[in-house]
Amino acid sequence: MSVFESDEPVDVAIIGAGPAGLGCAIALGLAGVTSRVVLDRHEVGASFERWPREMRFITPSFNGNSFGQVDLNAITPTTSPAYTLDGERLTGPGYAKYLRVVAKHYDVPVETGVEVFQVEPESGGTFQIETNHGRLRARSVIWAAGEFQYPRTSGFPGAELCLHNSQVGSWRDLVGPEPARFLVIGGYESGIDSAIALSRLGQRVTVLDARPAWQDTTPDPSVSLSPYTIQRLRSQLKRERITLEGDAEVVEVVRSGQGFLVRVSDGRTWESVQRPILATGFVGSTTLVADLFEPRDDGFPLLNAWDESTVTPGLFLSGPSVRHDKVVLCFVY
């Protein structure tokens, strides 16, 4: 019987079949929790399938299991994307393949094509989950829907005229027969990765950001550039096709003639025939269940020591939106 046809609640419903959701499902299964289900509106690893083809993991994926070391990009201690795929610096589709292999190996119960509309606590301490396949009840819910499929496409007037980096299938698709000037808004990992990819294709790129993130020496990969990205950036800077503007807070994008004009807070402007590239991060999926979490001062969900909502018992959070004090617990691609 389908979980959508039974009124008996499952022990745990997990929203999201990415690394966070599958990792939780596998850990629960190994702990003896058999009444569980993973729901995803697309397929396993959908976000990774949609990465630009040129994008690679910035964290090395190596097989150190035989030495007791866990692969940095693994979702279980005893598996390795590097070993599974015989490679490092994985592509998005490659990592999605790893996720599918691991999910199959551990026999994770995944329901794909399921759009979750609402998660509602019930009076008896259970949850009712409304989906396009019907209603599902659960004793506990883990929200692990991620963020890549929820790009931040607003923030200033004219942002809708831009192209978010997550919406690019391949940077080669944007390149014409002659070199062009591209404007990238955002100078963290996604922005610099975009600039590097375009520079490698012979294009000229100007990166605009309110602060020079590429100069940040904070030893936290969540807020500073990874060594891998800095290394690639230095290589492309030598080709003199990338210009970095670190005191340039974008306040407006407008159409100008056959192209676009980008204005920053001090009045300076840049023009480009190409659509400006937004590398402004992601809104995240937790906005869909924001009313079930108490917000922190920075807007992220407030959690207890078990990553559980402080206002909705039985609702847990897993993935890149998890914060504890100033510690950012996220997956670094």
Side-chain angles (χ1 to χ4, degrees):
M1 177 182 293
S2 168
V3 292
F4 301 103
E5 298 173 354
S6 173
D7 197 53
E8 179 66 21
V10 296
D11 286 339
V12 185
I14 302 167
I15 316 301
L22 293 177
C24 288
I26 293 169
L28 287 169
L30 293 174
V33 179
T34 57
S35 177
R36 69 201 196 285
V37 65
V38 179
L39 310 177
D40 199 288
R41 65 176 179 173
H42 295 302
E43 68 274 12
V44 171
S47 294
F48 295 95
E49 289 285 2
R50 289 157 177 77
W51 273 16
R53 285 198 292 272
E54 295 82 1
M55 187 178 283
R56 298 291 185 274
F57 271 61
I58 60 174
T59 48
S61 187
F62 59 91
N63 176 29
N65 297 41
S66 59
F67 304 103
Q69 300 296 318
V70 178
D71 189 318
L72 290 175
N73 297 313
I75 62 171
T76 72
T78 57
T79 64
S80 166
Y83 184 80
T84 300
L85 301 172
D86 291 328
E88 294 184 13
R89 305 297 179 192
L90 305 176
T91 65
Y95 193 71
K97 180 179 179 180
Y98 158 75
L99 294 178
R100 290 192 295 270
V101 168
V102 174
K104 182 178 180 180
H105 175 76
Y106 285 97
D107 197 23
V108 178
V110 180
E111 296 279 351
T112 58
V114 178
E115 182 86 22
V116 173
F117 300 130
Q118 185 179 29
V119 176
E120 184 177 356
E122 297 181 314
S123 58
T126 55
F127 292 87
Q128 182 171 281
I129 303 169
E130 296 292 342
T131 79
N132 61 334
H133 285 236
R135 186 188 67 175
L136 167 69
R137 297 180 66 234
R139 294 184 176 87
S140 295
V141 173
I142 298 177
W143 191 267
E147 60 179 26
F148 188 82
Q149 297 182 50
Y150 304 90
R152 189 183 303 280
T153 54
S154 60
F156 53 81
E160 70 278 0
L161 299 175
C162 304
L163 178 66
H164 198 276
N165 71 288
S166 66
Q167 299 167 330
V168 176
S170 171
W171 293 106
R172 192 173 296 277
D173 296 339
L174 306 184
V175 173
E178 299 294 331
R181 165 67 68 183
F182 285 83
L183 299 175
V184 174
I185 301 172
Y188 283 91
E189 284 291 345
S190 296
I192 299 301
D193 186 76
S194 303
I196 292 169
L198 288 166
S199 175
R200 285 176 170 173
L201 292 170
Q203 310 304 297
R204 291 169 290 126
V205 188
T206 297
V207 180
L208 307 173
D209 203 320
R211 55 184 297 275
W214 45 85
Q215 295 179 6
D216 195 324
T217 58
T218 304
D220 183 344
S222 300
V223 297
S224 61
L225 296 182
S226 66
Y228 176 60
T229 296
I230 292 175
Q231 179 186 31
R232 293 182 296 147
L233 176 60
R234 286 174 177 167
S235 175
Q236 292 305 308
L237 286 174
K238 293 177 182 179
R239 300 178 182 274
E240 300 184 346
R241 289 197 286 257
I242 296 178
T243 302
L244 303 174
E245 297 286 350
D247 188 19
E249 180 184 1
V250 174
V251 296
E252 184 182 34
V253 174
V254 297
R255 292 190 180 275
S256 176
Q258 300 298 313
F260 303 87
L261 182 142
V262 177
R263 180 176 290 108
V264 301
S265 57
D266 63 7
R268 288 178 295 162
T269 60
W270 283 265
E271 291 192 68
S272 172
V273 174
Q274 310 296 325
R275 289 178 68 185
I277 305 300
L278 276 184
T280 48
F282 304 88
V283 176
S285 64
T286 53
T287 56
L288 303 178
V289 287
D291 59 320
L292 301 180
F293 289 94
E294 181 182 358
R296 294 172 16 140
D297 291 340
D298 58 5
F300 285 95
L302 183 65
L303 307 172
N304 63 21
W306 297 275
D307 293 345
E308 182 182 21
S309 169
T310 56
V311 294
T312 309
L315 175 62
F316 299 84
L317 182 64
S318 180
S321 293
V322 173
R323 300 286 191 279
H324 287 289
D325 295 326
K326 295 183 180 180
V327 178
V328 181
L329 303 175
C330 68
F331 292 99
V332 182
Y333 66 80

